[in-house]
Amino acid sequence: QVQLVESGGGLVQPGGSLRLSCAASGDTLNVYAVGWFRQAPGKEREGVSGISATDGTLYADSVKGRFTISRDNSKNTVYLQMNSLKSEDTSVYYCAAVIPHPFNYIPFTSAEYFYWGQGAQVTVSS
């Protein structure tokens, strides 16, 4: 069983950058697919980005070219680098993990993930 903890959220001006971290404990994260999701008040949770156990990546159209997902297996952590942030990126961001089948699959719906972090607030405002 893996436990996930997000960090790195905060308040940033439009056009700024933040890096979210998803630190895992209890298991080795490199056999898991990891996804980042976000949920704004009154809206459904949406997929932002995902990384497969084989380091393939996937992005929502709304963040493509601005966000980058990566993993550091030595730190058992997955990152989401967010650049050129916009007010519409304001949300609570969650990381999630699952052992995928097949191994190179990147789930992109919340129902496909089993383990979840507690969330990190990202606010983009001037």
Side-chain angles (χ1 to χ4, degrees):
Q1 185 168 346
V2 65
Q3 293 82 43
L4 304 173
V5 178
E6 300 98 335
S7 61
L11 173 65
V12 63
Q13 292 186 342
S17 298
L18 282 175
R19 188 178 77 161
L20 299 180
S21 299
C22 176
S25 61
D27 203 352
T28 303
L29 200 57
N30 63 359
V31 300
Y32 289 78
V34 176
W36 284 98
F37 292 79
R38 66 187 181 187
Q39 188 167 19
K43 294 189 176 181
E44 292 195 357
R45 190 169 296 187
E46 64 173 353
V48 175
S49 183
I51 186 165
S52 72
T54 55
D55 288 346
T57 59
L58 190 63
Y59 298 94
D61 288 343
S62 59
V63 306
K64 204 171 292 183
R66 300 189 297 122
F67 291 11
T68 303
I69 191 171
S70 62
R71 67 164 85 226
D72 185 337
N73 291 331
S74 68
K75 296 181 178 180
N76 219 25
T77 299
V78 169
Y79 302 100
L80 185 68
Q81 178 67 45
M82 305 184 294
N83 298 329
S84 302
L85 282 161
K86 306 174 181 179
S87 58
E88 52 263 43
D89 296 317
T90 296
S91 278
V92 178
Y93 284 71
Y94 300 88
C95 66
V98 67
I99 296 179
H101 300 283
F103 204 56
N104 63 347
Y105 177 58
I106 307 174
F108 214 63
T109 64
S110 56
E112 296 177 279
Y113 283 90
F114 192 75
Y115 302 104
W116 289 84
Q118 83 288 352
Q121 176 69 47
V122 171
T123 303
V124 184
S125 175
S126 55

